[in-house]
Amino acid sequence: SETKQGALKIAVLGAGSYGTAMAYVATHNGHSVMVYARSKEVVDGINKNHINPKRFTDVKLPDSITASTDIKEVLKDAACVIHAVPAQHTPDFVGKFKDAFVKGIPVVSTAKGIHVKTHRLMSEAIPAALGDRSEEIPLVFLSGPSFAKEMVKGHPMAVVVAAHELKMAQHVQKILSSIRFRCYASNDVIGVEVGGALKNPLAIGAGMARGLGFGQSTIAGLVTRGCREMRQLAIALGGKPETLAGLSGVGDLMLTCFSSLSRNNRCGMALAKGKTVEEAFEEIGEVVEGVPTAKEVVRLAEIHKLELPLFRAVDLILSGKVKPDKALRLIMGRDLGTEEFH
């Protein structure tokens, strides 16, 4: 898999914001990167002008990033595959190309969310889509506070990579870590996935609070109580509660809740100002994973008999059952209790 001394070929599947950003950070160690994109316009833009014409048009990509519409060419000789396709499209995408993946080469999923049609986390949905190939393809899950816009500016940041076998997570950690992109390894796939997926609906809630004119104190309370709700669900699904105190949990949650760079946050702000979900989507122009995830969280809360008031409130707003200001009154008017951490 060596393309030059000490360097590897990395494949990136998906040329959206995060796929482009992952391609960018993967070159930090001298690796060459090939991106799979469906659009010939995007492929030509990357190959001829070193610019993705649909994302970050002001960012010159390194010469070591190339692109192709041929997934087999992209995967050929790659030492590591970064899967950067949105969560709701992931199972269909993986199922379509499952025979192209190379036995033993890790696939690192950056997709965050719960697949609505199958009610599965990505760590369940991807193996199911791989079918009889699932035992041959090692899966790793990357999560943590990392805005694509800041990644392509070379800002230093830290993320976590999780695999059921810690050795595989450590293998990917060594490939992707650089002076500007530090990866920590974990074997708590469920905890890391829950953190990555569940922060999105909470970020919509934070955006709503901001859109209603509330300040940082409100958001800080939402983040803290939201992290507790995430922890409760992670435990119910078999994850480790301490993982939610790390980069994929409170780290990613703080980033998305406090920053208007977050798509989910901007969606919440638009809803608070009276826009419909569809109008908010149109304004943002990219996938807002928190919307389908909110309904799935409530479904899981029912199964596991969990209260999760913040997630339920966000879902009520997204489904048009209550307005943001009324949902806030519902949360703040609940029975008083003690602060507990389990």
Side-chain angles (χ1 to χ4, degrees), residues 152-321:
V152 297
K153 287 180 178 175
H155 293 192
M157 57 189 65
V159 298
V160 58
V161 286
H164 292 299
E165 287 187 23
L166 188 61
K167 274 188 180 176
M168 184 51 67
Q170 290 168 330
H171 172 63
V172 167
Q173 174 188 40
K174 284 172 187 162
I175 292 172
L176 294 181
S177 287
S178 67
I179 201 73
R180 283 179 283 181
F181 194 73
R182 185 175 175 85
C183 299
Y184 287 84
S186 168
N187 63 355
D188 182 18
V189 169
I190 297 294
V192 166
E193 269 219 276
V194 166
L198 268 61
K199 52 90 183 177
N200 288 326
L202 291 172
I204 293 175
M208 289 175 191
R210 195 192 301 267
L212 290 169
F214 302 121
Q216 304 296 331
S217 304
T218 307
I219 313 292
L222 187 148
V223 166
T224 310
R225 297 303 297 175
C227 200
R228 179 178 185 264
E229 292 186 18
M230 284 165 57
R231 203 160 54 239
Q232 286 178 302
L233 188 55
I235 293 166
L237 296 175
K240 298 174 187 172
E242 57 268 29
T243 301
L244 278 298
L247 290 161
S248 177
V250 71
D252 214 354
L253 185 61
M254 280 198 292
L255 180 71
T256 49
C257 286
F258 281 106
S259 174
S260 56
L261 277 180
S262 158
R263 288 174 277 191
N264 291 281
N265 198 306
R266 295 203 309 275
C267 177
M269 286 183 74
L271 293 170
K273 288 173 179 169
K275 296 200 171 172
T276 65
V277 173
E278 290 73 25
E279 286 167 343
F281 279 9
E282 200 172 319
E283 183 180 295
I284 292 157
E286 287 189 82
V287 174
V288 181
E289 291 284 13
V291 174
T293 302
K295 194 171 289 302
E296 284 302 300
V297 173
V298 171
R299 189 188 66 82
L300 288 167
E302 291 293 332
I303 291 169
H304 296 284
K305 297 181 171 51
L306 296 170
E307 200 176 352
L308 308 190
L310 289 171
F311 283 104
R312 289 180 188 272
V314 170
D315 180 57
L316 283 172
I317 297 163
L318 292 173
S319 55
K321 290 172 184 166

Side-chain angles (χ1 to χ4, degrees), residues 54-73:
K54 294 189 177 179
R55 297 285 188 273
F56 310 124
T57 51
D58 57 337
V59 174
K60 195 87 169 170
L61 297 171
D63 293 356
S64 51
I65 297 176
T66 55
S68 174
T69 56
D70 181 351
I71 197 160
K72 286 185 178 174
E73 183 188 2

Side-chain angles (χ1 to χ4, degrees), residues 100-111:
F101 293 107
V102 179
K103 183 178 179 179
I105 300 299
V107 172
V108 183
S109 172
T110 67

